[in-house]
Amino acid sequence: MSGFDPAWLDLRSGADEAARDGDLLTKAVAFASALPSPLIVDLGAGTGASTRVLAPHLPSARWRLVDGDKELLRIAAQRCPDAEIVPLDLASSPLPIRDARLVTASALLDLVSAQWIERLVRDVVSGGAAFYGVLSFDGLMSWSPEHPLDEDVRRAFNRHQRSDKGFGLSLGGDAVVYARECFANAGYAIEMTESPWRLGPRDMMLKRQLIKGIASAAEEAGQAGTAEWSVFRLDHLATGSCRIGHQDLFASPAS
């Protein structure tokens, strides 16, 4: 899996925080808080955004940030100075979640394969941990004003999402539902809810990069007319809006 641009991660952080479901956050915090000094492992941690969201609610927690991108982890170490930093290829290495109370992942599940999710579930369940996975793209997007190519671009982008991102063929928008089924089959209690981005005129910088990224992926997937679609969307940056679908998932041992 290739690394992400730190500028992109910073740009999206506000939309991520606004979209994250508050009830599931509260339940994840409550589960972790049952131990006096819980270990929380963040997989695909990037620059540590999830840790920065959760840490104020869990002042006694121990943090382990895991990612394959050393540059992102260098930034994470600066922003989360008390965290253990673990550079690791998540695609091929054993997951370092032994003794974890809570395993977290943000915007990761839609990039991985069914086999990787199955391994994640086995490892989480074997240790009796809970899993808190947020902001997994669910394949849905809508735009205002509408354009005739909106649906074609969405489908092409979803095809691109299901290509190999370094973990085998990705599940893309189906990933969070598959993870839910795997945890449920393992006897875990499951809660899942929508956590969409809702972007408007105040999110022009994020929308600009989002439109460019969607158009590029759709073109790579063979969609014609993406340049026309992109120009239309960029022309409406100041007035247009969009909804990009995500799902949050909390899976915990059944009581």
Side-chain angles (χ1 to χ4, degrees), residues 83-95:
E84 176 189 0
I85 303 298
V86 180
L88 187 73
D89 180 1
L90 291 171
S92 59
S93 303
L95 299 178

Side-chain angles (χ1 to χ4, degrees), residues 188-208:
Y188 266 43
I190 309 298
E191 296 184 70
M192 193 170 84
T193 188
E194 295 182 347
S195 54
W197 282 356
R198 292 185 174 91
L199 308 180
R202 290 185 293 182
D203 305 297
M204 288 178 59
M205 291 180 63
L206 177 56
K207 284 194 299 181
R208 182 185 300 276

Side-chain angles (χ1 to χ4, degrees), residues 10-235:
D10 286 344
L11 188 59
R12 65 172 288 170
S13 62
D16 284 344
E17 189 167 349
R20 187 186 292 255
D21 182 79
D23 288 341
L24 291 196
L25 171 62
T26 298
K27 290 174 181 178
V29 168
F31 184 88
S33 298
L35 293 183
S37 183
L39 172 62
I40 302 174
V41 180
D42 189 23
L43 302 176
T47 62
S50 285
T51 299
R52 296 193 296 275
V53 170
L54 286 162
H57 304 282
L58 294 163
S60 64
R62 295 170 292 133
W63 299 91
R64 179 178 296 157
L65 277 57
V66 186
D67 202 290
D69 190 315
K70 293 182 179 180
E71 174 59 21
L72 295 182
L73 286 180
R74 183 188 65 79
I75 298 171
Q78 296 172 346
R79 297 179 178 180
C80 309
D82 296 327
E84 176 189 0
I85 303 298
V86 180
L88 187 73
D89 180 1
L90 291 171
S92 59
S93 303
L95 299 178
I97 62 175
R98 184 177 178 180
D99 299 326
R101 174 68 174 175
L102 181 67
V103 177
T104 67
S106 176
L108 176 66
L109 292 183
D110 51 285
L111 302 177
V112 305
S113 66
Q115 292 76 19
W116 194 91
I117 288 176
E118 291 163 6
R119 177 167 67 104
L120 167 71
V121 172
R122 286 195 301 270
D123 289 354
V124 169
V125 171
S126 67
F131 177 74
Y132 176 51
V134 301
L135 299 160
S136 299
F137 178 60
D138 64 6
L140 301 178
M141 62 178 74
S142 58
W143 301 85
S144 179
E146 295 180 355
H147 185 277
L149 287 176
D150 285 345
E151 182 62 12
D152 291 338
V153 168
R154 183 190 71 83
R155 289 175 178 170
F157 180 78
N158 283 336
R159 290 197 301 272
H160 190 276
Q161 283 293 99
R162 296 180 71 94
S163 61
D164 190 340
K165 310 298 183 184
F167 296 87
L169 290 178
S170 302
L171 286 177
D174 295 327
V176 69
V177 172
Y178 189 72
R180 178 188 67 187
E181 293 172 353
C182 289
F183 275 113
N185 290 338
Y188 266 43
I190 309 298
E191 296 184 70
M192 193 170 84
T193 188
E194 295 182 347
S195 54
W197 282 356
R198 292 185 174 91
L199 308 180
R202 290 185 293 182
D203 305 297
M204 288 178 59
M205 291 180 63
L206 177 56
K207 284 194 299 181
R208 182 185 300 276
Q209 295 306 313
L210 178 66
I211 289 164
K212 290 180 178 179
I214 290 173
S216 176
E219 184 176 24
E220 288 181 18
Q223 178 60 45
T226 55
E228 171 196 337
W229 181 86
S230 179
V231 168
F232 177 85
R233 288 278 156 243
L234 294 173
D235 284 346

